[in-house]
Amino acid sequence: MIQKKIFLLIIVIATVSVLVHHGSLLSWTMDAFYFGCPSIRSNLILAQKPKHTNVAFLKTHKTASSTMQNLFFRFAERHNLTVALPIQSCGHQFCYPYSFNTHFVHPHTIPPNIIASHMRFSKKELQHLMPNDTIYITILREPSSMFDSAFNYYLNYCHTFRRVPNHSLEAFLADPWRYYRPDEKDSMIARNNLVFDLGKDKDQPATDAEFIQDLLAEVEQTFSLVMIADYFDESLVVLRHLLSWDLDDILYFKLNMRKEASKRTLTPVLASKIRAWNSLDTYLYDYFNASLWRQILALGPGCVAKEVRELRQAQERLMRSCFNGQVQLRSSTQIKDKNLRPWQPRGTVDIMGYDLPLNISHGLSSQAQELCLKLVIPELRYTRLLLHSQSMHYHQRHQLRGTQQSSTVNKVVSLHPEAKHTQRVSVSDVFRVSKKKSMKLEPSMKALILAIEPKDRVLVEEEDEEDEDKDEWLTVH
């Protein structure tokens, strides 16, 4: 009997040794055997559940939401899902700041599994569009740091901020009502932007306790997860469990970041003034920050911390692979490949992006190259690329239908403004096509795209330089 126990102990020790030694080669779910994580042990069944693929993500402003959108776009492509995208007249957002309407959705992207572009939230309209089992998710950020970021980013676009002498945040906060006009179209940028994006009244008095209670209750009832940008990785771990996703599904590179030199440390007094001016956002953030930590507590703080470490280690390996060991994070104007330059607002704020190495194709499979490319594509480019791809699939599906059915569909679609002016072009032109000529791609980008999809052709819509400028302007509206 003693010999049997000793034998079993040796087997256990040997097994643990192998797991530790080969941990980097094991699947993400093997980490569930971590002895300090009983909640993850109880959630091993999640690994056997199918991934949840119907998700509505409310993309808020200046909250790391562009990084989240990129994550959802990549997940959709990897799993052959449909992403709801805006009609051309809306730009790359769903006609923000107007409340979301299903008419804002491009007909080639219906019915969708995922929606993740900027909108002003309307639960009723989204329920008409999305499947019944859709999980709703959004993201918030600490109001003082978020407002400071928005003030600098939109300084030359938001009428409120443009009125402030010397572009001084201190001057604005000293007397905000002197510059703020509640009825201006872009006023939501200047006050309680989170509450506005959620579809509520940004100018409701903070003393209205009933309004605040109803707001918190409705958001909590609607959204299964309210992520917190200040605890981004922890939020991703909670999301992973909520959706039964894998580690690969939550990998990301940070996008649309300000250059560190353009950031500043807010004094406690200034931060307090910002929170007071954005009091509704402050109530919202404080409540759902606590809510996130309750969800983390339910999973087990030790477990979440362990998964965060695994996530960051996987990201480091991915960055080394994509950038040959040296991440090429640069200001937008310094990025050689124009297709990878993020939108740059007028003013002193530098938005950072990535340059992929010229020799990225060496040593990487086409699948790995595609992942590296998709991880760093700016929002506007990726939205167009995804729409082009989904338009191609849309037409392929409808070509398989009978003549009578196709005729009916074409008649309906032809009435939609997005069904006009289509033409076939080569995959090397997927990022932009104008009426006169295609955009000249950098050699590295062209080679990379051809390596990924050497024979593919996509159906794209004609757009001219004015459309390009319009889309950029809509970045801030």
Side-chain angles (χ1 to χ4, degrees), residues 263-450:
K263 299 179 182 180
R264 63 172 168 179
T265 302
L266 295 171
T267 65
V269 172
L270 206 58
S272 179
K273 288 183 177 180
I274 292 175
R275 288 173 67 89
W277 173 245
N278 297 277
S279 53
L280 298 181
D281 277 2
T282 299
Y283 280 116
L284 195 69
Y285 173 83
D286 289 345
Y287 183 88
F288 285 102
N289 182 33
S291 175
L292 173 68
W293 286 99
R294 286 193 295 271
Q295 290 174 289
I296 291 173
L297 184 63
L299 287 174
C303 309
V304 173
K306 184 174 187 294
E307 291 199 33
V308 166
R309 289 195 297 272
E310 294 287 344
L311 170 61
R312 291 172 180 171
Q313 290 169 2
Q315 282 178 305
E316 290 176 3
R317 292 193 295 269
L318 185 57
M319 281 196 163
R320 287 196 297 269
S321 176
C322 288
F323 297 103
N324 294 334
Q326 185 175 0
V327 179
Q328 300 182 39
L329 184 63
R330 296 172 176 159
S331 297
S332 178
T333 55
Q334 296 176 336
I335 295 175
K336 297 176 182 177
D337 191 333
K338 296 179 180 179
N339 295 291
L340 297 182
R341 291 177 185 172
W343 185 82
Q344 179 68 43
R346 296 195 305 269
T348 58
V349 177
D350 269 338
I351 302 302
M352 308 298 287
Y354 302 87
D355 244 347
L356 290 174
L358 295 176
N359 60 345
I360 185 175
S361 60
H362 296 166
L364 290 180
S365 66
S366 61
Q367 185 177 6
Q369 293 173 48
E370 180 178 14
L371 175 59
C372 293
L373 172 64
K374 297 293 177 63
L375 280 162
V376 302
I377 291 181
E379 176 180 348
L380 295 179
R381 300 293 183 200
Y382 205 164
T383 299
R384 292 190 187 110
L385 177 63
L386 196 55
L387 177 57
H388 299 160
S389 174
Q390 292 187 168
S391 291
M392 178 189 70
H393 294 150
Y394 173 88
H395 283 270
Q396 287 176 342
R397 288 195 307 269
H398 283 264
Q399 286 173 359
L400 297 176
R401 299 186 178 185
T403 304
Q404 183 176 1
Q405 185 177 5
S406 295
S407 176
T408 303
V409 171
N410 290 336
K411 183 180 294 185
V412 174
V413 173
S414 67
L415 299 177
H416 198 288
E418 283 303 305
K420 300 177 181 179
H421 308 306
T422 59
Q423 61 178 357
R424 287 193 176 275
V425 300
S426 67
V427 71
S428 62
D429 300 322
V430 295
F431 286 96
R432 187 177 74 183
V433 175
S434 69
K435 292 179 179 178
K436 295 182 178 180
K437 61 180 180 179
S438 300
M439 174 188 240
K440 182 179 179 181
L441 297 179
E442 297 294 325
S444 60
M445 177 63 72
K446 185 174 182 179
L448 176 56
I449 295 174
L450 292 174

Side-chain angles (χ1 to χ4, degrees), residues 40 62 80 92 127 138 188 225 237 283 293 341 394 408:
I40 290 193
K62 311 314 297 177
N80 297 316
H92 71 288
Q127 286 178 331
T138 190
M188 68 282 173
L225 172 62
V237 170
Y283 280 116
W293 286 99
R341 291 177 185 172
Y394 173 88
T408 303

Side-chain angles (χ1 to χ4, degrees), residues 37-144:
C37 297
S39 63
I40 290 193
R41 281 208 304 273
S42 66
N43 281 336
L44 273 175
I45 192 171
L46 290 178
Q48 303 170 359
K49 292 175 59 177
K51 296 179 183 181
H52 197 91
T53 56
N54 296 324
V55 180
F57 174 66
L58 176 60
K59 187 177 187 296
T60 50
H61 291 77
K62 311 314 297 177
T63 58
S65 63
S66 292
T67 301
M68 282 303 302
Q69 182 193 59
N70 180 280
L71 185 150
F72 282 118
F73 281 4
R74 285 184 287 108
F75 179 85
E77 289 196 289
R78 190 160 56 251
H79 295 87
N80 297 316
L81 305 175
T82 300
V83 179
L85 296 171
I87 58 176
Q88 185 176 8
S89 57
C90 283
H92 71 288
Q93 311 181 29
F94 289 106
C95 286
Y96 187 87
Y98 299 105
S99 293
F100 177 78
N101 189 293
T102 55
H103 293 101
F104 298 160
V105 182
H106 197 293
H108 295 180
T109 66
I110 296 174
N113 304 102
I114 288 175
I115 189 168
S117 298
H118 276 307
M119 71 174 77
R120 189 177 188 205
F121 188 73
S122 172
K123 182 178 178 180
K124 181 180 178 181
E125 289 293 313
L126 281 168
Q127 286 178 331
H128 287 316
L129 176 71
M130 301 298 293
N132 292 333
D133 66 343
T134 295
I135 288 180
Y136 290 81
I137 296 169
T138 190
I139 186 168
L140 310 179
R141 180 180 173 186
E142 196 283 315
S144 62

